[in-house]
Amino acid sequence: MRRWFDDLPKYADDSSWWPNGTTRCRPEVFLFWLGLPLTIMAYFGLSAFLVLFKGLNQTNMNDYFAFGVWIVVDLAVIALGAGAFFTSFLNYIIGKTELKPIVNAAVLIGFICYTGAILMLGIDIGQPIRGWFGFWHANVHSMLTEVMFCITTYAIVLCIELLPSVLDNRRIGKVPEFGTFSHNLHTIMIVFAAAGTFLSFFHQGSLGGMFGVLYARPFAYRGHLGIWPMTFFLFVMSAIAAGPSFTTMVVMITEKITGKRLTSHKVKMLMGKISGWLLLVYMVCKSVDTLYWAFIYLPSKGLSVGQMYQAPYGSWLVWAELGLFGWLPAILLLTPRVRESYGLLFLAMLLNCIGVTLNRFIFTIQSLALPVMPFEKFFSYLPTWQEWGVASLVLGHGLLIFMLAYRYLPIFPQEPELNQR
Amino acid sequence: MLPFVFEWHWDIGHIVFFGLFYGVVSVVFGVLGLTILKTILDLWAGKIHSADH
């Protein structure tokens, strides 16, 4: 018996699976921390069961709020996951190879965001086993059909983009078939990056376009450029501005938790600079769009800005979205001294990510809160605990995949070099 | 949806929408298939890439 206990650490030792030149915490510590995502996923499981078994009466969605917290979280994580396609685009297609140390992390985070959103939407549609109907009985005039096609196809592309990282695991990579397949995938990755860019551009845009075509809702409706409303382009711009920030933020949080340096600060500063310029362009376009909407479009329909903002969705939301979480992070990210500081860079990126999340909240919830008939009143919406439970899947599933990937996959190629003692 | 099902219409919406969709899907799976094929041929020819090589 004693010998069995003595031998136990040897069998429990998973260090031969860790990336080359790295160290990780002991397996029992890792297993203990896995309890956190598993608890969140258990909460999701209970909520999802109730929603699927008892129906949408478990939520606070109704005839006015056909979209709730699930769509807000879905739109937010899709935007935050845009770092995957944009970083891959810059690295593989534009040739910005300085981003190579962070591209694996960007793909992993994108994979987490997209698969999490798809799983959550499986509950949102109410009948997950009929999910394929959208492909077979497609309504080609619907923005959501385009979103569905692109998101599912892009999730497949992300699986392919992530595959080399899995195959490059220290033990898996020793199998000649896997090692050779991984090598060949690396050489052709530019094609998948291009396909991912095409798909992402259209579904990020169509998520915004979905609101911009609601001509009966003046809060969301916008003028068109070609067949696309302005929100199509604004959603693409805001996603590519926030995506690189979110990727870098996740890397920084991982660095703080693990106590290790995972990418050089130069790479983070570059991501911050890219985010800053993209955010600046977005803020200029968004501000012009808001001014046109407030002072030309709304008065032309006999409406005023004041009617659009009522408690609890007051005008403070405009100042928060455009000022505190819009122009401020753009200015901060474009200031070299801010980017040089670890803490300030993180703060600016956090404000940027909150901004895009707030934008998705405003378009989803506030658009529906406004009355469309003279006899209706201004509505508000608060999710139930079951709705939060389903939405928490993204967090639980993300933590679980990220923890496993960090432990076993070579996601951060600079880690061994940066942590040499 | 495929062109031979009853819901299909030969209009610009269906042609552009599904043309692009099937185009991208074909490129993604085609390139993946070619990569698998190249891997098989490489292994056959002894061009092995692995952590041990």
mmCIF file of all heavy atoms in Angstrom, chain A residues 135-138 140 146 149 153 157 160 173-174 176-177 179-181 183-185 188 191-192 198, chain B residues 1-2 5 7 14 17-18 21 24 28-29 31 35-36 38-39 42-43 47-52:
data_model
loop_
_atom_site.group_PDB
_atom_site.id
_atom_site.type_symbol
_atom_site.label_atom_id
_atom_site.label_comp_id
_atom_site.label_asym_id
_atom_site.label_seq_id
_atom_site.Cartn_x
_atom_site.Cartn_y
_atom_site.Cartn_z
ATOM 1 N N PHE A 135 -30.240 26.219 -41.916
ATOM 2 C CA PHE A 135 -29.454 25.969 -43.128
ATOM 3 C C PHE A 135 -30.346 25.442 -44.254
ATOM 4 O O PHE A 135 -30.212 25.823 -45.396
ATOM 5 C CB PHE A 135 -28.364 24.915 -42.853
ATOM 6 C CG PHE A 135 -27.232 25.447 -42.032
ATOM 7 C CD1 PHE A 135 -27.157 25.198 -40.670
ATOM 8 C CD2 PHE A 135 -26.242 26.207 -42.615
ATOM 9 C CE1 PHE A 135 -26.117 25.688 -39.923
ATOM 10 C CE2 PHE A 135 -25.196 26.706 -41.872
ATOM 11 C CZ PHE A 135 -25.130 26.449 -40.514
ATOM 12 N N TRP A 136 -31.257 24.555 -43.866
ATOM 13 C CA TRP A 136 -32.035 23.866 -44.902
ATOM 14 C C TRP A 136 -33.213 24.707 -45.403
ATOM 15 O O TRP A 136 -33.558 24.666 -46.571
ATOM 16 C CB TRP A 136 -32.518 22.509 -44.351
ATOM 17 C CG TRP A 136 -32.901 21.584 -45.458
ATOM 18 C CD1 TRP A 136 -34.154 21.195 -45.808
ATOM 19 C CD2 TRP A 136 -32.017 20.971 -46.414
ATOM 20 N NE1 TRP A 136 -34.119 20.368 -46.909
ATOM 21 C CE2 TRP A 136 -32.806 20.213 -47.304
ATOM 22 C CE3 TRP A 136 -30.629 20.996 -46.611
ATOM 23 C CZ2 TRP A 136 -32.261 19.481 -48.350
ATOM 24 C CZ3 TRP A 136 -30.089 20.263 -47.663
ATOM 25 C CH2 TRP A 136 -30.909 19.523 -48.514
ATOM 26 N N HIS A 137 -33.837 25.450 -44.483
ATOM 27 C CA HIS A 137 -34.974 26.301 -44.864
ATOM 28 C C HIS A 137 -34.543 27.766 -44.753
ATOM 29 O O HIS A 137 -35.189 28.558 -44.084
ATOM 30 C CB HIS A 137 -36.180 26.038 -43.959
ATOM 31 C CG HIS A 137 -36.558 24.591 -43.869
ATOM 32 N ND1 HIS A 137 -37.159 23.917 -44.892
ATOM 33 C CD2 HIS A 137 -36.387 23.673 -42.881
ATOM 34 C CE1 HIS A 137 -37.356 22.654 -44.552
ATOM 35 N NE2 HIS A 137 -36.893 22.478 -43.322
ATOM 36 N N ALA A 138 -33.440 28.092 -45.372
ATOM 37 C CA ALA A 138 -32.844 29.420 -45.181
ATOM 38 C C ALA A 138 -33.693 30.532 -45.801
ATOM 39 O O ALA A 138 -34.178 30.395 -46.922
ATOM 40 C CB ALA A 138 -31.463 29.431 -45.808
ATOM 41 N N VAL A 140 -33.139 33.815 -47.299
ATOM 42 C CA VAL A 140 -31.971 34.553 -47.794
ATOM 43 C C VAL A 140 -32.124 36.069 -47.647
ATOM 44 O O VAL A 140 -31.195 36.816 -47.916
ATOM 45 C CB VAL A 140 -31.657 34.204 -49.271
ATOM 46 C CG1 VAL A 140 -31.244 32.759 -49.409
ATOM 47 C CG2 VAL A 140 -32.816 34.535 -50.183
ATOM 48 N N GLU A 146 -27.575 34.988 -42.608
ATOM 49 C CA GLU A 146 -26.173 35.218 -42.981
ATOM 50 C C GLU A 146 -25.273 35.082 -41.759
ATOM 51 O O GLU A 146 -24.200 34.469 -41.824
ATOM 52 C CB GLU A 146 -26.068 36.613 -43.616
ATOM 53 C CG GLU A 146 -24.835 36.829 -44.441
ATOM 54 C CD GLU A 146 -23.714 37.384 -43.619
ATOM 55 O OE1 GLU A 146 -23.963 38.200 -42.713
ATOM 56 O OE2 GLU A 146 -22.584 36.981 -43.881
ATOM 57 N N PHE A 149 -24.940 31.322 -40.912
ATOM 58 C CA PHE A 149 -24.042 30.639 -41.853
ATOM 59 C C PHE A 149 -22.587 30.977 -41.531
ATOM 60 O O PHE A 149 -21.736 30.096 -41.450
ATOM 61 C CB PHE A 149 -24.343 31.093 -43.303
ATOM 62 C CG PHE A 149 -25.482 30.370 -43.949
ATOM 63 C CD1 PHE A 149 -26.587 29.971 -43.228
ATOM 64 C CD2 PHE A 149 -25.457 30.091 -45.301
ATOM 65 C CE1 PHE A 149 -27.649 29.311 -43.822
ATOM 66 C CE2 PHE A 149 -26.508 29.424 -45.920
ATOM 67 C CZ PHE A 149 -27.603 29.045 -45.181
ATOM 68 N N THR A 153 -19.702 28.492 -39.866
ATOM 69 C CA THR A 153 -18.575 28.169 -40.748
ATOM 70 C C THR A 153 -17.269 28.702 -40.155
ATOM 71 O O THR A 153 -16.240 28.026 -40.197
ATOM 72 C CB THR A 153 -18.800 28.763 -42.164
ATOM 73 O OG1 THR A 153 -20.131 28.488 -42.567
ATOM 74 C CG2 THR A 153 -17.840 28.170 -43.169
ATOM 75 N N VAL A 157 -13.647 27.023 -39.088
ATOM 76 C CA VAL A 157 -12.333 27.562 -39.465
ATOM 77 C C VAL A 157 -11.457 27.734 -38.212
ATOM 78 O O VAL A 157 -10.265 27.405 -38.220
ATOM 79 C CB VAL A 157 -12.482 28.905 -40.224
ATOM 80 C CG1 VAL A 157 -11.141 29.593 -40.421
ATOM 81 C CG2 VAL A 157 -13.139 28.672 -41.575
ATOM 82 N N ILE A 160 -9.990 24.526 -37.142
ATOM 83 C CA ILE A 160 -8.845 24.157 -37.998
ATOM 84 C C ILE A 160 -7.618 25.000 -37.618
ATOM 85 O O ILE A 160 -6.503 24.496 -37.556
ATOM 86 C CB ILE A 160 -9.201 24.329 -39.495
ATOM 87 C CG1 ILE A 160 -10.357 23.395 -39.867
ATOM 88 C CG2 ILE A 160 -7.992 24.062 -40.374
ATOM 89 C CD1 ILE A 160 -10.972 23.668 -41.234
ATOM 90 N N GLY A 173 2.796 15.785 -30.597
ATOM 91 C CA GLY A 173 3.673 16.159 -31.705
ATOM 92 C C GLY A 173 4.726 15.113 -32.028
ATOM 93 O O GLY A 173 5.335 15.137 -33.107
ATOM 94 N N LYS A 174 4.959 14.188 -31.107
ATOM 95 C CA LYS A 174 5.962 13.136 -31.353
ATOM 96 C C LYS A 174 5.425 12.043 -32.289
ATOM 97 O O LYS A 174 6.192 11.282 -32.848
ATOM 98 C CB LYS A 174 6.387 12.497 -30.019
ATOM 99 C CG LYS A 174 7.350 13.371 -29.240
ATOM 100 C CD LYS A 174 7.810 12.692 -27.981
ATOM 101 C CE LYS A 174 8.767 13.609 -27.233
ATOM 102 N NZ LYS A 174 9.064 13.105 -25.905
ATOM 103 N N PRO A 176 4.460 10.800 -35.597
ATOM 104 C CA PRO A 176 4.833 11.334 -36.919
ATOM 105 C C PRO A 176 3.651 11.819 -37.744
ATOM 106 O O PRO A 176 3.738 12.866 -38.394
ATOM 107 C CB PRO A 176 5.514 10.135 -37.592
ATOM 108 C CG PRO A 176 5.929 9.239 -36.495
ATOM 109 C CD PRO A 176 4.972 9.448 -35.365
ATOM 110 N N GLU A 177 2.536 11.095 -37.706
ATOM 111 C CA GLU A 177 1.369 11.479 -38.514
ATOM 112 C C GLU A 177 0.842 12.846 -38.080
ATOM 113 O O GLU A 177 0.550 13.707 -38.911
ATOM 114 C CB GLU A 177 0.240 10.435 -38.356
ATOM 115 C CG GLU A 177 0.505 9.110 -39.048
ATOM 116 C CD GLU A 177 1.429 8.185 -38.259
ATOM 117 O OE1 GLU A 177 1.809 8.546 -37.122
ATOM 118 O OE2 GLU A 177 1.792 7.124 -38.782
ATOM 119 N N GLY A 179 2.479 15.178 -36.244
ATOM 120 C CA GLY A 179 3.512 16.206 -36.426
ATOM 121 C C GLY A 179 3.561 16.678 -37.872
ATOM 122 O O GLY A 179 3.651 17.881 -38.151
ATOM 123 N N THR A 180 3.471 15.741 -38.814
ATOM 124 C CA THR A 180 3.531 16.084 -40.244
ATOM 125 C C THR A 180 2.263 16.851 -40.657
ATOM 126 O O THR A 180 2.337 17.834 -41.402
ATOM 127 C CB THR A 180 3.680 14.798 -41.090
ATOM 128 O OG1 THR A 180 4.749 14.043 -40.541
ATOM 129 C CG2 THR A 180 3.970 15.111 -42.538
ATOM 130 N N PHE A 181 1.127 16.398 -40.144
ATOM 131 C CA PHE A 181 -0.140 17.094 -40.456
ATOM 132 C C PHE A 181 -0.098 18.527 -39.923
ATOM 133 O O PHE A 181 -0.483 19.480 -40.611
ATOM 134 C CB PHE A 181 -1.303 16.308 -39.848
ATOM 135 C CG PHE A 181 -2.660 16.867 -40.180
ATOM 136 C CD1 PHE A 181 -2.961 17.298 -41.465
ATOM 137 C CD2 PHE A 181 -3.646 16.956 -39.204
ATOM 138 C CE1 PHE A 181 -4.218 17.806 -41.776
ATOM 139 C CE2 PHE A 181 -4.904 17.471 -39.509
ATOM 140 C CZ PHE A 181 -5.183 17.895 -40.806
ATOM 141 N N HIS A 183 2.580 20.353 -39.393
ATOM 142 C CA HIS A 183 3.521 21.111 -40.214
ATOM 143 C C HIS A 183 2.845 21.573 -41.512
ATOM 144 O O HIS A 183 2.970 22.736 -41.911
ATOM 145 C CB HIS A 183 4.739 20.230 -40.525
ATOM 146 C CG HIS A 183 5.658 20.826 -41.523
ATOM 147 N ND1 HIS A 183 6.573 21.813 -41.199
ATOM 148 C CD2 HIS A 183 5.787 20.608 -42.865
ATOM 149 C CE1 HIS A 183 7.227 22.165 -42.295
ATOM 150 N NE2 HIS A 183 6.778 21.455 -43.311
ATOM 151 N N ASN A 184 2.101 20.665 -42.140
ATOM 152 C CA ASN A 184 1.427 21.013 -43.401
ATOM 153 C C ASN A 184 0.315 22.031 -43.183
ATOM 154 O O ASN A 184 0.083 22.895 -44.036
ATOM 155 C CB ASN A 184 0.874 19.750 -44.061
ATOM 156 C CG ASN A 184 1.984 18.895 -44.648
ATOM 157 O OD1 ASN A 184 3.045 19.412 -44.991
ATOM 158 N ND2 ASN A 184 1.766 17.595 -44.746
ATOM 159 N N LEU A 185 -0.368 21.931 -42.038
ATOM 160 C CA LEU A 185 -1.418 22.920 -41.731
ATOM 161 C C LEU A 185 -0.806 24.308 -41.558
ATOM 162 O O LEU A 185 -1.365 25.305 -42.025
ATOM 163 C CB LEU A 185 -2.159 22.531 -40.456
ATOM 164 C CG LEU A 185 -3.370 21.607 -40.584
ATOM 165 C CD1 LEU A 185 -3.924 21.279 -39.206
ATOM 166 C CD2 LEU A 185 -4.470 22.228 -41.438
ATOM 167 N N ILE A 188 -0.206 26.138 -44.823
ATOM 168 C CA ILE A 188 -1.374 26.544 -45.615
ATOM 169 C C ILE A 188 -2.309 27.460 -44.811
ATOM 170 O O ILE A 188 -3.391 27.819 -45.274
ATOM 171 C CB ILE A 188 -2.107 25.274 -46.137
ATOM 172 C CG1 ILE A 188 -2.953 25.552 -47.379
ATOM 173 C CG2 ILE A 188 -2.905 24.590 -45.054
ATOM 174 C CD1 ILE A 188 -2.160 25.769 -48.610
ATOM 175 N N VAL A 191 -4.666 30.435 -46.090
ATOM 176 C CA VAL A 191 -5.976 30.227 -46.742
ATOM 177 C C VAL A 191 -7.090 30.279 -45.692
ATOM 178 O O VAL A 191 -8.125 30.916 -45.894
ATOM 179 C CB VAL A 191 -6.005 28.870 -47.490
ATOM 180 C CG1 VAL A 191 -7.384 28.632 -48.107
ATOM 181 C CG2 VAL A 191 -4.933 28.836 -48.555
ATOM 182 N N PHE A 192 -6.843 29.636 -44.560
ATOM 183 C CA PHE A 192 -7.860 29.628 -43.499
ATOM 184 C C PHE A 192 -8.001 31.026 -42.884
ATOM 185 O O PHE A 192 -9.097 31.445 -42.515
ATOM 186 C CB PHE A 192 -7.519 28.589 -42.422
ATOM 187 C CG PHE A 192 -7.502 27.180 -42.957
ATOM 188 C CD1 PHE A 192 -6.324 26.460 -43.038
ATOM 189 C CD2 PHE A 192 -8.671 26.599 -43.430
ATOM 190 C CE1 PHE A 192 -6.312 25.178 -43.557
ATOM 191 C CE2 PHE A 192 -8.664 25.317 -43.955
ATOM 192 C CZ PHE A 192 -7.477 24.606 -44.018
ATOM 193 N N PHE A 198 -12.966 36.796 -44.325
ATOM 194 C CA PHE A 198 -14.168 36.991 -45.151
ATOM 195 C C PHE A 198 -15.435 36.708 -44.331
ATOM 196 O O PHE A 198 -16.359 37.525 -44.291
ATOM 197 C CB PHE A 198 -14.083 36.050 -46.364
ATOM 198 C CG PHE A 198 -15.322 36.041 -47.216
ATOM 199 C CD1 PHE A 198 -15.527 37.023 -48.173
ATOM 200 C CD2 PHE A 198 -16.289 35.053 -47.057
ATOM 201 C CE1 PHE A 198 -16.679 37.016 -48.959
ATOM 202 C CE2 PHE A 198 -17.436 35.044 -47.831
ATOM 203 C CZ PHE A 198 -17.637 36.025 -48.782
ATOM 204 N N MET B 1 -29.693 24.337 -47.731
ATOM 205 C CA MET B 1 -30.639 24.198 -48.846
ATOM 206 C C MET B 1 -29.872 23.954 -50.147
ATOM 207 O O MET B 1 -28.879 24.628 -50.414
ATOM 208 C CB MET B 1 -31.476 25.488 -48.977
ATOM 209 C CG MET B 1 -32.666 25.351 -49.878
ATOM 210 S SD MET B 1 -33.426 26.934 -50.248
ATOM 211 C CE MET B 1 -34.059 27.431 -48.672
ATOM 212 N N LEU B 2 -30.346 23.003 -50.907
ATOM 213 C CA LEU B 2 -29.690 22.675 -52.170
ATOM 214 C C LEU B 2 -30.631 23.016 -53.339
ATOM 215 O O LEU B 2 -31.853 23.051 -53.157
ATOM 216 C CB LEU B 2 -29.320 21.188 -52.191
ATOM 217 C CG LEU B 2 -28.241 20.780 -51.170
ATOM 218 C CD1 LEU B 2 -28.173 19.273 -51.043
ATOM 219 C CD2 LEU B 2 -26.885 21.355 -51.538
ATOM 220 N N VAL B 5 -34.190 21.242 -54.022
ATOM 221 C CA VAL B 5 -35.312 21.143 -53.081
ATOM 222 C C VAL B 5 -36.399 22.160 -53.450
ATOM 223 O O VAL B 5 -36.119 23.169 -54.103
ATOM 224 C CB VAL B 5 -34.873 21.322 -51.607
ATOM 225 C CG1 VAL B 5 -33.854 20.279 -51.219
ATOM 226 C CG2 VAL B 5 -34.364 22.704 -51.348
ATOM 227 N N GLU B 7 -37.957 24.464 -51.933
ATOM 228 C CA GLU B 7 -37.915 25.856 -51.465
ATOM 229 C C GLU B 7 -36.945 26.730 -52.266
ATOM 230 O O GLU B 7 -36.910 27.928 -52.104
ATOM 231 C CB GLU B 7 -37.479 25.889 -49.988
ATOM 232 C CG GLU B 7 -38.559 25.411 -49.040
ATOM 233 C CD GLU B 7 -38.018 25.196 -47.644
ATOM 234 O OE1 GLU B 7 -37.019 24.461 -47.502
ATOM 235 O OE2 GLU B 7 -38.568 25.757 -46.698
ATOM 236 N N HIS B 14 -30.798 33.891 -53.754
ATOM 237 C CA HIS B 14 -30.354 32.512 -53.501
ATOM 238 C C HIS B 14 -29.000 32.240 -54.153
ATOM 239 O O HIS B 14 -28.134 31.596 -53.560
ATOM 240 C CB HIS B 14 -31.390 31.509 -54.025
ATOM 241 C CG HIS B 14 -32.554 31.333 -53.111
ATOM 242 N ND1 HIS B 14 -33.560 32.271 -52.998
ATOM 243 C CD2 HIS B 14 -32.871 30.334 -52.236
ATOM 244 C CE1 HIS B 14 -34.447 31.851 -52.115
ATOM 245 N NE2 HIS B 14 -34.054 30.691 -51.629
ATOM 246 N N PHE B 17 -26.197 34.360 -52.232
ATOM 247 C CA PHE B 17 -26.094 33.901 -50.848
ATOM 248 C C PHE B 17 -25.486 32.499 -50.762
ATOM 249 O O PHE B 17 -24.471 32.267 -50.103
ATOM 250 C CB PHE B 17 -27.504 33.891 -50.248
ATOM 251 C CG PHE B 17 -27.541 34.034 -48.770
ATOM 252 C CD1 PHE B 17 -27.740 35.270 -48.193
ATOM 253 C CD2 PHE B 17 -27.384 32.941 -47.945
ATOM 254 C CE1 PHE B 17 -27.784 35.407 -46.827
ATOM 255 C CE2 PHE B 17 -27.419 33.061 -46.578
ATOM 256 C CZ PHE B 17 -27.625 34.309 -46.015
ATOM 257 N N PHE B 18 -26.117 31.571 -51.466
ATOM 258 C CA PHE B 18 -25.635 30.195 -51.385
ATOM 259 C C PHE B 18 -24.363 29.988 -52.203
ATOM 260 O O PHE B 18 -23.542 29.134 -51.867
ATOM 261 C CB PHE B 18 -26.732 29.223 -51.817
ATOM 262 C CG PHE B 18 -27.718 28.978 -50.714
ATOM 263 C CD1 PHE B 18 -28.892 29.691 -50.652
ATOM 264 C CD2 PHE B 18 -27.446 28.053 -49.717
ATOM 265 C CE1 PHE B 18 -29.789 29.492 -49.627
ATOM 266 C CE2 PHE B 18 -28.338 27.848 -48.684
ATOM 267 C CZ PHE B 18 -29.517 28.571 -48.636
ATOM 268 N N PHE B 21 -21.672 31.013 -49.857
ATOM 269 C CA PHE B 21 -21.593 30.066 -48.742
ATOM 270 C C PHE B 21 -20.925 28.762 -49.182
ATOM 271 O O PHE B 21 -19.944 28.312 -48.583
ATOM 272 C CB PHE B 21 -22.993 29.805 -48.175
ATOM 273 C CG PHE B 21 -23.024 28.722 -47.132
ATOM 274 C CD1 PHE B 21 -22.374 28.893 -45.916
ATOM 275 C CD2 PHE B 21 -23.681 27.527 -47.368
ATOM 276 C CE1 PHE B 21 -22.395 27.895 -44.951
ATOM 277 C CE2 PHE B 21 -23.708 26.529 -46.409
ATOM 278 C CZ PHE B 21 -23.062 26.709 -45.195
ATOM 279 N N VAL B 24 -17.164 29.268 -49.972
ATOM 280 C CA VAL B 24 -16.261 29.307 -48.806
ATOM 281 C C VAL B 24 -16.133 27.915 -48.182
ATOM 282 O O VAL B 24 -15.026 27.463 -47.862
ATOM 283 C CB VAL B 24 -16.755 30.337 -47.755
ATOM 284 C CG1 VAL B 24 -15.902 30.282 -46.502
ATOM 285 C CG2 VAL B 24 -16.726 31.737 -48.326
ATOM 286 N N VAL B 28 -12.653 25.840 -47.698
ATOM 287 C CA VAL B 28 -12.185 25.400 -46.383
ATOM 288 C C VAL B 28 -11.996 23.883 -46.357
ATOM 289 O O VAL B 28 -10.914 23.381 -46.009
ATOM 290 C CB VAL B 28 -13.173 25.852 -45.267
ATOM 291 C CG1 VAL B 28 -12.849 25.182 -43.943
ATOM 292 C CG2 VAL B 28 -13.137 27.367 -45.116
ATOM 293 N N PHE B 29 -13.015 23.142 -46.757
ATOM 294 C CA PHE B 29 -12.902 21.682 -46.685
ATOM 295 C C PHE B 29 -11.994 21.121 -47.786
ATOM 296 O O PHE B 29 -11.332 20.106 -47.591
ATOM 297 C CB PHE B 29 -14.287 21.034 -46.716
ATOM 298 C CG PHE B 29 -14.991 21.179 -45.392
ATOM 299 C CD1 PHE B 29 -15.979 22.128 -45.216
ATOM 300 C CD2 PHE B 29 -14.636 20.390 -44.306
ATOM 301 C CE1 PHE B 29 -16.610 22.283 -44.000
ATOM 302 C CE2 PHE B 29 -15.264 20.548 -43.078
ATOM 303 C CZ PHE B 29 -16.253 21.498 -42.915
ATOM 304 N N VAL B 31 -9.254 22.636 -49.013
ATOM 305 C CA VAL B 31 -7.864 22.842 -48.575
ATOM 306 C C VAL B 31 -7.524 21.884 -47.430
ATOM 307 O O VAL B 31 -6.416 21.325 -47.390
ATOM 308 C CB VAL B 31 -7.631 24.318 -48.171
ATOM 309 C CG1 VAL B 31 -6.273 24.503 -47.515
ATOM 310 C CG2 VAL B 31 -7.730 25.207 -49.390
ATOM 311 N N THR B 35 -4.636 19.086 -47.562
ATOM 312 C CA THR B 35 -3.581 19.032 -46.537
ATOM 313 C C THR B 35 -3.464 17.604 -45.969
ATOM 314 O O THR B 35 -2.354 17.116 -45.759
ATOM 315 C CB THR B 35 -3.894 20.032 -45.389
ATOM 316 O OG1 THR B 35 -4.234 21.273 -45.970
ATOM 317 C CG2 THR B 35 -2.713 20.219 -44.466
ATOM 318 N N ILE B 36 -4.611 16.967 -45.782
ATOM 319 C CA ILE B 36 -4.578 15.573 -45.294
ATOM 320 C C ILE B 36 -3.914 14.680 -46.347
ATOM 321 O O ILE B 36 -3.060 13.843 -46.024
ATOM 322 C CB ILE B 36 -6.012 15.084 -44.962
ATOM 323 C CG1 ILE B 36 -6.567 15.870 -43.766
ATOM 324 C CG2 ILE B 36 -6.032 13.581 -44.669
ATOM 325 C CD1 ILE B 36 -8.045 15.679 -43.494
ATOM 326 N N LYS B 38 -1.747 15.609 -48.638
ATOM 327 C CA LYS B 38 -0.305 15.897 -48.689
ATOM 328 C C LYS B 38 0.406 15.214 -47.516
ATOM 329 O O LYS B 38 1.521 14.706 -47.669
ATOM 330 C CB LYS B 38 -0.065 17.405 -48.652
ATOM 331 C CG LYS B 38 1.396 17.777 -48.850
ATOM 332 C CD LYS B 38 1.611 19.268 -48.912
ATOM 333 C CE LYS B 38 3.064 19.632 -49.207
ATOM 334 N NZ LYS B 38 4.028 19.056 -48.314
ATOM 335 N N THR B 39 -0.246 15.194 -46.370
ATOM 336 C CA THR B 39 0.352 14.545 -45.197
ATOM 337 C C THR B 39 0.549 13.059 -45.460
ATOM 338 O O THR B 39 1.623 12.504 -45.156
ATOM 339 C CB THR B 39 -0.562 14.757 -43.969
ATOM 340 O OG1 THR B 39 -0.778 16.154 -43.796
ATOM 341 C CG2 THR B 39 0.054 14.181 -42.707
ATOM 342 N N ASP B 42 3.412 12.719 -47.876
ATOM 343 C CA ASP B 42 4.683 13.006 -47.188
ATOM 344 C C ASP B 42 5.121 11.819 -46.345
ATOM 345 O O ASP B 42 6.294 11.432 -46.345
ATOM 346 C CB ASP B 42 4.540 14.244 -46.284
ATOM 347 C CG ASP B 42 4.585 15.540 -47.075
ATOM 348 O OD1 ASP B 42 4.885 15.472 -48.282
ATOM 349 O OD2 ASP B 42 4.315 16.607 -46.491
ATOM 350 N N LEU B 43 4.178 11.267 -45.614
ATOM 351 C CA LEU B 43 4.507 10.134 -44.749
ATOM 352 C C LEU B 43 4.952 8.931 -45.586
ATOM 353 O O LEU B 43 5.881 8.210 -45.221
ATOM 354 C CB LEU B 43 3.295 9.760 -43.873
ATOM 355 C CG LEU B 43 2.941 10.767 -42.780
ATOM 356 C CD1 LEU B 43 1.570 10.482 -42.204
ATOM 357 C CD2 LEU B 43 3.992 10.756 -41.666
ATOM 358 N N LYS B 47 8.933 11.896 -45.583
ATOM 359 C CA LYS B 47 9.184 13.288 -45.143
ATOM 360 C C LYS B 47 8.399 13.510 -43.857
ATOM 361 O O LYS B 47 7.254 13.974 -43.871
ATOM 362 C CB LYS B 47 8.708 14.276 -46.215
ATOM 363 C CG LYS B 47 9.570 14.323 -47.438
ATOM 364 C CD LYS B 47 9.127 15.498 -48.292
ATOM 365 C CE LYS B 47 9.071 15.126 -49.759
ATOM 366 N NZ LYS B 47 8.305 16.062 -50.555
ATOM 367 N N ILE B 48 9.017 13.179 -42.742
ATOM 368 C CA ILE B 48 8.307 13.213 -41.460
ATOM 369 C C ILE B 48 8.709 14.450 -40.657
ATOM 370 O O ILE B 48 9.886 14.803 -40.587
ATOM 371 C CB ILE B 48 8.598 11.919 -40.660
ATOM 372 C CG1 ILE B 48 8.001 10.720 -41.408
ATOM 373 C CG2 ILE B 48 8.037 11.999 -39.250
ATOM 374 C CD1 ILE B 48 8.452 9.393 -40.897
ATOM 375 N N HIS B 49 7.711 15.112 -40.098
ATOM 376 C CA HIS B 49 7.958 16.241 -39.190
ATOM 377 C C HIS B 49 7.344 15.889 -37.852
ATOM 378 O O HIS B 49 6.135 15.727 -37.750
ATOM 379 C CB HIS B 49 7.292 17.512 -39.711
ATOM 380 C CG HIS B 49 7.859 17.989 -40.990
ATOM 381 N ND1 HIS B 49 8.896 18.875 -41.066
ATOM 382 C CD2 HIS B 49 7.533 17.679 -42.272
ATOM 383 C CE1 HIS B 49 9.182 19.103 -42.327
ATOM 384 N NE2 HIS B 49 8.370 18.384 -43.087
ATOM 385 N N SER B 50 8.159 15.751 -36.852
ATOM 386 C CA SER B 50 7.613 15.523 -35.504
ATOM 387 C C SER B 50 8.602 16.057 -34.492
ATOM 388 O O SER B 50 9.728 16.427 -34.845
ATOM 389 C CB SER B 50 7.334 14.042 -35.261
ATOM 390 O OG SER B 50 8.541 13.368 -35.029
ATOM 391 N N ALA B 51 8.184 16.074 -33.243
ATOM 392 C CA ALA B 51 9.053 16.604 -32.190
ATOM 393 C C ALA B 51 10.362 15.830 -32.107
ATOM 394 O O ALA B 51 11.385 16.358 -31.693
ATOM 395 C CB ALA B 51 8.318 16.546 -30.865
ATOM 396 N N ASP B 52 10.338 14.560 -32.519
ATOM 397 C CA ASP B 52 11.548 13.728 -32.453
ATOM 398 C C ASP B 52 12.471 13.907 -33.653
ATOM 399 O O ASP B 52 13.604 13.458 -33.641
ATOM 400 C CB ASP B 52 11.151 12.251 -32.359
ATOM 401 C CG ASP B 52 10.600 11.930 -30.974
ATOM 402 O OD1 ASP B 52 10.900 12.702 -30.048
ATOM 403 O OD2 ASP B 52 9.862 10.947 -30.843
#
